[in-house]
Amino acid sequence: MSDGIRAMWMRGGTSKGGYFLASDLPQDTAERDRLLLRIMGSPDPRQIDGLGGADPLTSKVAVVKPSEQEGVDVDYLFLQVFVDQAIVTDAQNCGNILAGVGPFAIERGLVPAQDGTTDVRIFMENTGQTAVATIQTPGGTVTYEGEARIDGVPGTAAPIPIAFEDTAGSSCGALLPTGNAVDRIDGVDLTMIDNGMPCVVMRAADLGISGYEDRAELEANEDLRRKLEAIRLKAGPMMNLGDVAEKSVPKMTMVAPPRHGGAITTRTFIPHRCHASIGVLGAVSVATACLLPEGPAADMAETGEGAERTLSIEHPTGEMTVVAKLDAEGGVQRTAILRTARKLFDGQVF
């Protein structure tokens, strides 16, 4: 560490973290994790001795390398570095940090830039699926400036549309790991679903809240947090995730009728802190849950009609739009979202 390690820090969507070439990190997993904990300053609630931002959303890492798979440009491994515990986990994916992978890959010379836009095909190692990110590259150079706006991020930036393929069952082995659109745990009806992110979707009212509370109020609700964790620990094995006591999945999403013209209102614990917005792949899974007629989300969701649905997923700081293409049977065939990213610094981290 005395000479530093090459790193790029980026905002990806509504998250922020370090982007590394796999070749710049130790190949031994335990050694790599010790290094990343030191870089982030974990475990420490303030992460004062590192670059983490004292929040799960700003304590994230992308590890990127050239892909050996046909038709794929780069492989992307997402690592969540816990803030107050000495844990680095690859148990989940992150669609927000994914937004920065395309620009990073081009900046590092892994993908040649085209004049105009450049598609980067990304294999997501955590879940075994592929995403296609379209990066703005006028004159063959990545630009972060643009007019796209996403809730949870001030200002505007260049748009990064991301299309997801074959995300169903990414971590749990099936879209509905129990085979049911609705199950019941501790007296609460819920949908256990994985369309890119393992989520447990429940009616907010069934947990004793309205679903419109702000983040601070929900985090201060100890009774709610106990209920959610009890359900999560029981849901983990049912979702083929095993013992999830020290895992960051499944995410726990409580839904309520939309208030601002969207499809549904959400409040999500990730799993022990309330998300300031909602994760990209979490939004995809929740949008899919809204399209299950038997599920608890469907009776309050506004999902529209037709083979292509645009679902605005409302969250504490705005909304995230998911475009879902349905097959002939009404199942979700393909999803896409719009994100932005910004390079914050590129250099050596010590």
Side-chain angles (χ1 to χ4, degrees):
M1 281 290 287
S2 60
D3 296 328
I5 289 179
R6 194 181 187 197
M8 184 181 292
W9 233 254
M10 301 183 77
R11 176 188 60 77
T14 54
S15 293
K16 183 166 59 176
Y19 289 71
F20 299 85
L21 291 176
S23 57
D24 289 334
L25 291 173
Q27 298 306 298
D28 178 75
T29 300
E31 185 182 352
R32 178 202 69 191
D33 291 353
R34 284 193 295 270
L35 173 63
L36 294 176
L37 286 165
R38 182 177 175 185
I39 288 172
M40 287 296 185
S42 299
D44 171 47
R46 294 194 299 156
Q47 291 183 319
I48 193 63
D49 199 36
L51 292 176
D55 189 288
L57 301 183
T58 58
S59 188
K60 298 183 172 186
V61 168
V63 182
V64 182
K65 64 183 179 182
S67 183
E68 296 180 357
Q69 301 184 62
E70 185 177 354
V72 176
D73 295 308
V74 295
D75 294 343
Y76 152 57
L77 176 68
F78 170 71
L79 298 173
Q80 178 71 59
V81 182
F82 280 46
V83 174
D84 55 358
Q85 300 180 64
I87 296 174
V88 179
T89 177
D90 63 0
Q92 68 175 77
N93 203 341
C94 180
N96 275 304
I97 291 297
L98 171 66
V101 171
F104 174 76
I106 296 171
E107 295 247 27
R108 284 288 187 263
L110 304 185
V111 178
Q114 308 300 311
D115 183 10
T117 62
T118 303
D119 284 347
V120 180
R121 292 187 63 85
I122 303 163
F123 177 74
M124 299 176 285
E125 292 188 49
N126 304 74
T127 54
Q129 276 77 40
T130 302
V132 182
T134 301
I135 312 304
Q136 303 297 308
T137 52
T141 302
V142 175
T143 182
Y144 299 93
E145 302 295 325
E147 299 304 315
R149 184 185 302 274
I150 61 173
D151 286 330
V153 177
T156 63
I160 302 178
I162 304 175
F164 297 100
E165 301 173 353
D166 303 323
T167 52
S170 58
S171 298
C172 302
L175 178 70
L176 300 172
T178 68
N180 305 317
V182 57
D183 288 284
R184 192 172 181 85
I185 298 177
D186 292 353
V188 176
D189 289 337
L190 45 82
T191 297
M192 290 177 274
I193 190 167
D194 174 15
N195 198 9
M197 179 63 69
C199 293
V200 179
V201 181
M202 306 152 283
R203 298 181 188 91
D206 291 345
L207 276 299
I209 64 170
S210 69
Y212 307 114
E213 294 86 352
D214 64 27
R215 185 187 190 191
E217 182 178 353
L218 292 175
E219 288 196 346
N221 188 332
E222 293 294 338
D223 183 56
L224 171 66
R225 294 176 67 169
R226 281 193 296 270
K227 288 180 182 177
L228 286 175
E229 185 64 3
I231 292 172
R232 194 179 77 88
L233 293 177
K234 293 175 183 177
M238 297 172 70
M239 298 179 74
N240 302 319
L241 296 170
D243 181 358
V244 297
E246 295 189 354
K247 294 182 179 179
S248 54
V249 288
K251 310 303 186 188
M252 307 297 287
T253 298
M254 297 163 286
V255 296
R259 269 193 166 177
H260 304 290
I264 198 87
T265 291
T266 63
R267 296 293 186 268
T268 301
F269 275 73
I270 57 172
H272 303 126
R273 298 283 301 275
C274 185
H275 205 307
S277 54
I278 190 171
V280 169
L281 292 165
V284 170
S285 288
V286 171
T288 306
C290 290
L291 295 167
L292 301 174
E294 308 92 340
D299 61 0
M300 62 182 70
E302 300 291 339
T303 59
E305 298 180 352
E308 187 169 285
R309 312 283 182 90
T310 299
L311 291 89
S312 171
I313 308 301
E314 298 177 0
H315 55 70
T317 52
E319 68 85 38
M320 183 181 298
T321 297
V322 177
V323 179
K325 183 179 181 180
L326 309 186
D327 59 26
E329 288 74 39
V332 177
Q333 186 178 61
R334 180 185 174 97
T335 56
I337 52 91
L338 176 67
R339 296 282 84 189
T340 66
R342 187 167 84 87
K343 181 169 66 171
L344 302 175
F345 80 70
D346 188 4
Q348 305 287 318
V349 61
F350 296 89

